[in-house]
Amino acid sequence: MLIVLAEATLGEGALDAARDAMTTMVAASNDEEGCVSYAYAIDVLNPAKLHIIEKWVDEAALAFHFQTPHMAAFQKALGSLDVQITELAKFAADDGSPVM
């Protein structure tokens, strides 16, 4: 499994302007074959920080994701907004186990 973790800084009004595109992106990504989980979360201590959490079955699923029409539409929608990716990394992992 691959885990992708990212953070973005959102400028004034960017979250409200991007909300529809983000909602569409999350739903479409979660419907992709090979997507285990795809979600966004606003940081409770810093509402200008967005956390992106993705889980993919393998590299092929992630590569496919980057080629989808909803990814292209999402990038276009965010292109004019003040959204800056500040961290982006992928990690190879097993399927995990309970913490407790």
Side-chain angles (χ1 to χ4, degrees):
M1 178 187 322
L2 293 178
I3 298 172
V4 177
L5 300 177
E7 290 182 3
T9 300
L10 307 173
E12 184 72 32
L15 179 59
D16 289 335
R19 191 173 303 277
D20 288 344
M22 292 169 70
T23 300
T24 298
M25 182 65 167
V26 169
S29 297
N30 276 305
D31 284 345
E32 286 179 47
E33 186 173 330
C35 180
V36 177
S37 175
Y38 189 100
Y40 301 140
I42 296 298
D43 192 304
V44 297
L45 298 179
N46 180 357
K49 183 186 285 188
L50 177 71
H51 298 276
I52 301 105
I53 306 98
E54 308 174 25
K55 296 178 186 175
W56 301 93
V57 295
D58 56 24
E59 287 280 353
L62 180 59
F64 176 82
H65 170 69
F66 287 123
Q67 303 303 316
T68 59
H70 56 270
M71 174 60 92
F74 181 70
Q75 289 176 329
K76 182 177 179 182
L78 265 60
S80 63
L81 301 178
D82 184 9
V83 176
Q84 303 297 319
I85 300 293
T86 56
E87 290 187 34
L88 177 60
K90 68 180 177 182
F91 304 88
D94 61 19
D95 290 338
S97 60
V99 173
M100 300 176 95

